[in-house]
Amino acid sequence: MREAQSIQWFPGHMTKTKRQMEKTLKLVDAVAEIVDARIPVSSRNPILDQLVKNKPRVILLNKADMADPAQTARWIDHYQSQGILAIGVDCRSGKGLNQLIPTIRTVLKDKIASWAAKGMVGRTIRVMVVGIPNVGKSSLINRMAKGSKANVEDRPGVTRNNRWFTISKGFELLDTPGVLWPKFEDKLVGEHLAFTGAVRDEVVDLEWLACRLIEELKGIYPQALKERYKMQEVDLAPLPGYEILEIIGKNRGMLISGGEINTERAAIAVLDEFRSAKLGRITLEQVKERA
Ligand code: G4P
C-alpha cells in the first residue's frame, strides 16, 4: 500500500514564499496564525516561529467545532504557558471570532500604549492571516471582511495583490493570507494532514489511510469507533486496523459479489465520517503526547 505523500512544495517555491512573507510581515502589527484544532502540531508551519520572530501573534485553533472541546481548552492553556494567546474558533459558523480583535488588542497592549505615548492614539492595527493550506484562512478572511469594503487607497504596501479590509474601527486585515507549507518530511504529519483531508485523496491509498486512522482512533477514542460502527462487544485493542475495517464493512453490509467485504467502501465511509465529525469531536494530537 502506498503511504501518504504531502502537498508538494519545491525549494524554490518555499524560498519565494518566505521572502514574500518577510516583506509582508513588515506591513503588519500582528499575525493571526491558523491551525487545525484537531491536529494543532501537524497543521503548523515548521519555520513560522523563525519567520514571525518577535511579531505579536495569536493562534486560532480553527475547526474547533470538530475537535474535542476538552483538548482545545488544554491546547489554549498550553500555548498560554508559552506566552502565546490562543482561541478556539469555527470559521465556518463564525463562532468564537468575536474574540479575535480583543485578543489581538491584548497581545498588542504595550505597543498600543507606546503609540499613545507618542501621540498616535487610535492608530490603525494591521493584521495578516497565515497558515498551511486548508486550515481555514479564506473562511476566516471572508467571515471577518463580510460587509466591509477593501481599502484601495494609495499607500505603501497596498498593491493590487495587497489590500486591506477594515474589519472594525481602527482594525485592518490583509485580504490575502500567507500560505505556508507543513512539516512534510515527518511521516506522521503527512498522515494526519491526509486524515483531515488537507492532502488530496488522489495521492494516497484510501484503505491504507483508513487503517492508519482506525489504529489511532482505537487508542484515543475507542468508544467513538465502537458506537459508530456497532462494535461495542469487540475488543479493538489487539486487532490491526485492517481487521477492524473489515468488521466495519461487514456491519455496514458493504459486500461485493461472492460475499467478500468491500473494504474500499468501508475506508471511504470511515474517512468521510471522521472528516465530517460524524464520529464525534476528535482531537488526534493531544497536548500530553505531541506538544
Ligand atoms: P484555506 O483558505 O486555509 O485553504 O482554507 P479554507 O478557508 O478554504 O477552508 C478549507 C475547508 O475547511 C473548507 O471546506 C471550509 O469550509 C472548511 N472550514 C474552514 N473553517 C472551518 C471550521 O471552523 N469548521 C469546519 N467544520 N469547517 C471549516 P470545503 O469542504 O473545502 O468547502 P465547503 O464545504 O465550505 O464548500
Side-chain angles (χ1 to χ4, degrees):
M1 286 181 186
R2 256 183 309 145
E3 294 190 355
Q5 296 163 22
S6 206
I7 301 146
Q8 292 303 305
W9 287 79
F10 301 101
H13 187 188
M14 283 157 64
T15 307
K16 199 171 153 216
T17 304
K18 188 167 167 254
R19 216 181 299 129
Q20 181 62 44
M21 180 81 67
E22 280 163 347
K23 243 166 69 190
T24 315
L25 279 168
K26 292 202 178 93
L27 308 173
V28 301
D29 303 302
V31 168
E33 178 190 1
I34 309 199
V35 300
D36 184 326
R38 297 166 300 172
I39 50 166
V41 179
S42 297
S43 57
R44 288 189 86 183
N45 167 268
I47 68 153
L48 188 70
D49 288 343
Q50 179 200 324
L51 264 178
V52 299
K53 291 192 190 94
N54 299 324
K55 188 78 62 181
R57 174 187 5 173
V58 170
I59 293 182
L60 305 186
L61 288 150
N62 189 35
K63 309 199 184 186
D65 55 311
M66 298 200 281
D68 182 339
Q71 293 298 329
T72 301
R74 292 188 63 181
W75 275 110
I76 291 171
D77 287 348
H78 169 77
Y79 292 128
Q80 192 150 22
S81 72
Q82 298 186 333
I84 301 175
L85 285 191
I87 52 177
V89 295
D90 167 359
C91 288
R92 200 177 248 175
S93 74
K95 197 167 169 214
L97 283 179
N98 58 347
Q99 293 178 67
L100 179 61
I101 295 175
T103 307
I104 290 176
R105 285 196 192 279
T106 304
V107 164
L108 287 172
K109 199 166 62 274
D110 294 345
K111 236 179 176 178
I112 293 169
S114 87
W115 291 335
K118 290 182 202 148
M120 294 188 280
V121 178
R123 177 193 173 289
T124 298
I125 294 168
R126 287 187 202 111
V127 176
M128 80 178 288
V129 173
V130 303
I132 66 163
N134 250 302
V135 281
K137 299 177 298 300
S138 322
S139 305
L140 172 73
I141 293 172
N142 292 341
R143 276 257 151 212
M144 296 303 291
K146 219 171 230 175
S148 75
K149 244 177 53 203
N151 304 337
V152 287
E153 77 263 33
D154 187 20
R155 71 167 184 234
V158 179
T159 66
R160 253 174 306 146
N161 313 318
N162 227 4
R163 294 179 313 164
W164 303 87
F165 287 116
T166 301
I167 55 171
S168 168
K169 191 168 178 296
F171 208 98
E172 295 183 350
L173 192 64
L174 187 62
D175 79 330
T176 41
V179 185
L180 293 166
W181 57 94
K183 193 178 171 198
F184 46 72
E185 65 280 5
D186 181 327
K187 184 170 162 281
L188 198 61
V189 168
E191 286 176 18
H192 283 188
L193 291 170
F195 293 160
T196 61
V199 177
R200 286 195 323 275
D201 276 342
E202 301 95 83
V203 299
V204 286
D205 181 295
L206 296 182
E207 282 180 69
W208 172 83
L209 193 64
C211 289
R212 287 289 306 117
L213 175 60
I214 289 168
E215 273 161 14
E216 287 209 15
L217 291 177
K218 79 170 188 185
I220 49 177
Y221 294 93
Q223 228 24 59
L225 269 180
K226 287 185 177 199
E227 275 167 28
R228 180 87 195 157
Y229 301 111
K230 316 229 174 321
M231 301 189 287
Q232 281 90 342
E233 307 309 319
V234 183
D235 179 12
L236 299 180
L239 299 181
Y242 193 75
E243 282 182 35
I244 300 175
L245 187 67
E246 286 184 316
I247 300 173
I248 292 172
K250 193 162 148 243
N251 287 359
R252 284 275 174 101
M254 292 170 166
L255 304 176
I256 36 183
S257 55
E260 219 177 291
I261 298 161
N262 189 339
T263 45
E264 199 183 335
R265 260 185 76 200
I268 292 169
V270 170
L271 291 168
D272 278 355
E273 290 167 26
F274 167 72
R275 289 172 188 168
S276 57
K278 290 198 181 92
L279 268 157
R281 296 175 68 176
I282 286 173
T283 300
L284 292 174
E285 294 170 354
Q286 308 193 343
V287 173
K288 206 170 31 177
E289 320 157 17
R290 298 210 78 219

